[in-house]
Amino acid sequence: MEFTLDNTYQLAGFTLAMHRGPFQNNGATPWYSTVQIGTPGQPLKLALDTGTNITWVTSSLCAPDRCQHYSAGRFNHKTSSSFSFTDCLQRPYSFGPWGTMQVESGSDVLIVNQTTLPTRLLLATDYTSSQFRQLDWDGGIGLPCSSTYADGRSSFVFQELMNTGKIDPQQPFIAFDWDPVSGRGSCQLGAVDASKTQGPHLFLPWSLYSKMAGVEYIWSTPLMSYAVGGEILAKDLTFVLDSGSSQFKGDERLMRHTLERIAQGDHPQVVLGFADGEITLGADTYNVLIEEGPDKGRTLPQFEPLGPADLVLVGSLVMELCYTVYEYRVVQCCPGAYSLAPVGAWLFNRPNGPQIITRSSSKNFDIAPRAITRGKRILDSVTRAAPPLLPLSAAGTWQNDYGSRMTLTVDRGRISGTYQSSTGSTGLYEVTGYQVPSIIQQELELGLPIALAIEWHSLGEGPADPSWNWSSGLCGQIHRVKGEDTLVLSHLLVASSDFPERVEQGTYVDKLAFRRVASVHAERPLAAPSSLPEIADPLSGSWLATDGTRLSLRIHACSHHAFGYVLGRLTSDEGEVDICGFTDINAQTSGLPLQSVSLTTAGLAGSTARSLSGTLELKEQNVNLLIMTSSPTTAEHSYLQTRVKSLTFSRQDK
């Protein structure tokens, strides 16, 4: 099919030409339509986004060094004679775990071909993150599931087109037709191409997602099961089809489990089981070449641990493989005034594409005009009670300014999880550690001390490099300020060997600040490294420091013998506590003189967390450790949160 560069208005509705930008690893769709805003019209790239309830655009209100994004377009309100502000207050608008921007409210006109539509819109005045920086578009036109859930400070464009007679209310459809090969596509507003609604199909009836207040506008439907490689990983979920997104996002534990399963290397299928239909995705569909951004040139599985529990969301990854139709029910309030309620979404296999719909729905799509309901219709009610204040915990997903992300679970103070790095040697890495009990800290408005160890041997496939022998120790606090959790850690990177042309052997100091981007609702039991085989290792045994501190350590090899888990006890004048961490069990066979070590423990009194990181000198049989101890402080005094000292341990069980 050929698409013109201009958007067109026909009696059958609007057809907006769409184009595919480079695929970037930020979770946002690469598809956009060029629409003019203002007088004279300023051409800007806008996503047609069923995953939001606002119409917005990046604007010249942003400082020159802010709102940086790949598309780089900005709406200049000063050069538009038809623009006016509708509010004098600036406020944040959140896209949930994906990111937040500051906005101001205004009104102007959207120009689609020869049609001018007065529109209320939000002007972005500030945003910054790696996700925003990789955006292929300048803003978005929100297409929420219902006019009830549209943000009143911006226009619901589809409803406005219907109310002004540009769309037939008996054709309440939004249809996406994207061809990833040509990079061209279309979005039909108020029309459907009947020739594309044949063959295997899936109907996803809308069902209110009420587990998180404020996102009722998403096109959600029940998902009965989610399986990878023939193993059902979760049941009774919510599925969301979001045209503004690309990759799979959602329940952090489920997405992480999916990535771990894919990393095993047997190209497992991912199967989404609905009450009346099924989607099956092979590795050739979910592994995608990254065309721009920090991961350019890499082919990566598109699953991101980012979002509420029990939610699975996907966008262009699936929609490029199908003809997609969103359907509304139209309620006429009075002549020329229509409200929109959700019916659901339809997916149709492309005849010449991957046949991802492997079990069709029994309900068939009817191309006939839809009846208009008159009078009032009641949607499901939503209780908007404020969520309870959860105790401070490391459990959840955290992201730092580099774009690196940690997903952590906690069981009785023990931390386990993964670290997804976006700097240096990128990959997925294992994390362990401790947090102190949170009751005392919250009552006194103090931070929650935690200590973490990271093993830099990648959990996935890929070529080895010297950093696979390294480890890190991190220590700091979680603080909650104005309802937002932040995690600030002192970081010691133990480079136990040279990385030619990049890093010399040594210990490197950094400060990392993380913000929470997703939470888990309960602490969960962790797998016990003690169930893995214990091995003889140069670090095993008893070690004594000059101040009388004693370490009693045993080493358990991970399943692929890539690294070692360290378990044991630390004894000092304060008493005796458990210890856990990692060590490089392959240092000796790799011919290295140093073996990296990173250990963690909680203080005996339950108010401090401690990181012990450094190296074992394999020839001299000494362990040199830098010990960071974090104590609870208020946010104002966090500069005093962590103190450091060094200790040298000698073997005591020769």
Side-chain angles (χ1 to χ4, degrees):
M1 177 179 290
E2 294 295 328
F3 298 102
T4 64
L5 291 177
D6 294 327
N7 296 320
T8 59
Y9 166 54
Q10 304 167 339
L11 291 178
F14 275 87
T15 298
L16 284 79
M18 299 195 73
H19 303 270
R20 190 182 193 270
F23 192 94
Q24 308 205 41
N25 196 33
N26 67 336
T29 181
W31 289 92
Y32 62 86
S33 183
T34 300
V35 176
Q36 297 198 46
I37 302 178
T39 306
Q42 301 176 36
L44 292 154
K45 299 174 181 178
L46 302 184
L48 302 174
D49 190 352
T50 62
T52 190
N53 64 343
I54 62 169
T55 296
W56 70 279
V57 65
T58 304
S59 77
S60 57
L61 294 170
C62 296
D65 62 341
R66 309 293 286 184
C67 304
Q68 300 295 317
H69 63 291
Y70 182 83
S71 179
R74 299 187 181 204
F75 171 65
N76 188 344
H77 69 284
K78 293 182 178 179
T79 64
S80 173
S81 61
S82 50
F83 176 83
S84 63
F85 285 105
T86 57
D87 198 330
C88 56
L89 297 178
Q90 189 178 111
R91 65 184 179 92
Y93 181 86
S94 174
F95 292 103
W98 192 86
T100 299
M101 63 182 179
Q102 293 292 320
V103 297
E104 294 188 23
S105 303
S107 67
D108 211 320
V109 293
L110 289 183
I111 306 169
V112 182
N113 200 13
Q114 302 301 315
T115 300
T116 299
L117 184 70
T119 303
R120 301 180 308 280
L121 70 164
L122 301 181
L123 279 63
T125 63
D126 187 36
Y127 57 71
T128 177
S129 74
S130 60
Q131 286 97 329
F132 280 110
R133 283 194 292 273
Q134 297 173 67
L135 270 185
D136 289 328
W137 26 275
D138 309 311
I141 295 175
L143 301 169
C145 69
S146 171
S147 54
T148 299
Y149 303 129
D151 187 306
R153 286 157 288 197
S154 68
S155 294
F156 182 7
V157 170
F158 186 74
Q159 182 185 29
E160 295 292 334
L161 289 169
M162 188 176 292
N163 286 341
T164 55
K166 307 300 190 299
I167 288 177
D168 183 351
Q170 291 189 292
Q171 296 290 327
F173 308 112
I174 299 172
F176 290 91
D177 188 10
W178 292 340
D179 179 11
V181 177
S182 67
R184 298 276 183 112
S186 70
C187 176
Q188 288 180 285
L189 302 176
V192 171
D193 186 341
S195 68
K196 297 182 182 297
T197 62
Q198 311 300 314
H201 65 280
L202 184 65
F203 175 57
L204 303 174
W206 179 81
S207 177
L208 178 69
Y209 181 71
S210 58
K211 291 185 178 180
M212 177 181 289
V215 295
E216 299 85 4
Y217 54 80
I218 58 179
W219 289 84
S220 47
T221 193
L223 177 62
M224 308 307 291
S225 64
Y226 178 100
V228 181
E231 178 187 359
I232 295 178
L233 302 186
K235 294 182 178 181
D236 299 326
L237 307 164
T238 295
F239 177 79
V240 178
L241 192 63
D242 175 5
S243 65
S245 293
S246 56
Q247 62 194 191
F248 278 92
K249 296 191 282 282
D251 185 294
E252 57 193 52
R253 192 174 183 87
L254 180 59
M255 295 296 107
R256 181 159 56 89
H257 198 170
T258 301
L259 290 170
E260 291 169 352
R261 181 65 183 82
I262 291 171
Q264 295 177 11
D266 56 349
H267 309 295
Q269 290 184 329
V270 175
V271 180
L272 308 177
F274 300 92
D276 191 24
E278 182 180 83
I279 289 176
T280 301
L281 298 170
D284 57 336
T285 58
Y286 62 68
N287 287 321
V288 179
L289 175 66
I290 309 304
E291 298 168 329
E292 280 295 344
D295 296 309
K296 182 179 180 180
R298 304 178 66 194
T299 298
L300 298 173
Q302 291 299 293
F303 299 87
E304 185 68 15
L306 185 69
D310 302 324
L311 187 76
V312 174
L313 180 150
V314 73
S316 62
L317 186 73
V318 165
M319 291 176 64
E320 286 184 343
L321 307 177
C322 298
Y323 182 65
T324 306
V325 178
Y326 294 86
E327 180 179 348
Y328 293 96
R329 179 175 288 105
V330 177
V331 181
Q332 185 173 18
C333 308
C334 59
Y338 301 98
S339 294
L340 301 175
V343 173
W346 300 81
L347 294 171
F348 303 88
N349 273 341
R350 291 182 176 277
N352 300 321
Q355 301 299 288
I356 67 169
I357 299 172
T358 48
R359 179 165 59 90
S360 280
S361 297
S362 58
K363 182 180 177 68
N364 292 315
F365 182 77
D366 186 355
I367 196 64
R370 299 303 194 247
I372 299 173
T373 302
R374 288 173 172 81
K376 294 184 178 180
R377 178 177 175 81
I378 300 175
L379 287 179
D380 294 315
S381 61
V382 179
T383 301
R384 296 181 178 273
L389 185 64
L390 298 175
L392 286 176
S393 174
T397 299
W398 303 83
Q399 181 169 299
N400 66 21
D401 293 338
Y402 299 121
S404 299
R405 187 169 294 158
M406 290 191 299
T407 299
L408 306 176
T409 56
V410 181
D411 181 21
R412 289 164 292 183
R414 273 283 307 278
I415 298 172
S416 179
T418 56
Y419 189 99
Q420 190 170 6
S421 176
S422 63
T423 60
S425 298
T426 57
L428 192 67
Y429 308 94
E430 189 147 351
V431 180
T432 191
Y434 283 94
Q435 72 173 41
V436 306
S438 63
I439 298 175
I440 297 175
Q441 280 69 33
Q442 282 198 289
E443 289 178 349
L444 300 178
E445 297 185 354
L446 301 177
L448 179 76
I450 75 167
L452 300 174
I454 301 178
E455 167 56 51
W456 292 114
H457 191 294
S458 176
L459 296 175
E461 294 183 343
D465 63 49
S467 70
W468 283 23
N469 298 101
W470 302 352
S471 61
S472 281
L474 305 96
C475 211
Q477 287 186 96
I478 302 171
H479 276 110
R480 180 171 292 154
V481 179
K482 296 182 179 179
E484 182 177 5
D485 290 354
T486 57
L487 170 59
V488 178
L489 298 169
S490 298
H491 174 210
L492 297 178
L493 170 63
V494 179
S496 52
S497 60
D498 292 341
F499 195 139
E501 300 181 2
R502 295 183 66 177
V503 177
E504 294 183 0
Q505 182 271 322
T507 299
Y508 293 82
V509 183
D510 194 8
K511 177 182 177 181
L512 299 177
F514 294 81
R515 61 182 178 87
R516 188 190 297 279
V517 295
S519 299
V520 296
H521 297 295
E523 297 188 347
R524 310 185 184 196
L526 309 178
S530 57
S531 63
L532 298 169
E534 184 175 351
I535 62 171
D537 182 82
L539 188 62
S540 301
S542 181
W543 301 83
L544 183 66
T546 52
D547 70 346
T549 302
R550 183 181 297 273
L551 293 172
S552 298
L553 307 176
R554 62 184 189 277
I555 315 301
H556 298 261
C558 75
S559 56
H560 301 295
H561 213 271
F563 57 85
Y565 296 97
V566 183
L567 299 175
R569 304 283 285 175
L570 181 148
T571 306
S572 68
D573 54 7
E574 298 177 359
E576 189 173 352
V577 291
D578 289 330
I579 201 164
C580 68
F582 301 111
T583 191
D584 174 22
I585 59 176
N586 298 305
Q588 199 166 41
T589 57
S590 300
L592 301 180
L594 300 176
Q595 176 172 327
S596 67
V597 181
S598 183
L599 310 174
T600 62
T601 185
L604 186 66
S607 62
T608 61
R610 188 175 298 169
S611 162
L612 305 89
S613 51
T615 56
L616 162 62
E617 298 174 337
L618 291 168
K619 183 177 180 180
E620 291 79 5
Q621 288 290 288
N622 290 322
V623 179
N624 300 304
L625 299 177
L626 284 172
I627 301 175
M628 297 189 291
T629 302
S630 287
S631 303
T633 71
T634 62
E636 292 79 7
H637 295 91
S638 60
Y639 59 91
L640 298 173
Q641 69 180 16
T642 303
R643 63 184 187 276
V644 183
K645 72 173 182 178
S646 62
L647 282 179
T648 297
F649 293 79
S650 302
R651 180 173 291 284
Q652 294 298 296
D653 52 0
K654 295 180 180 179

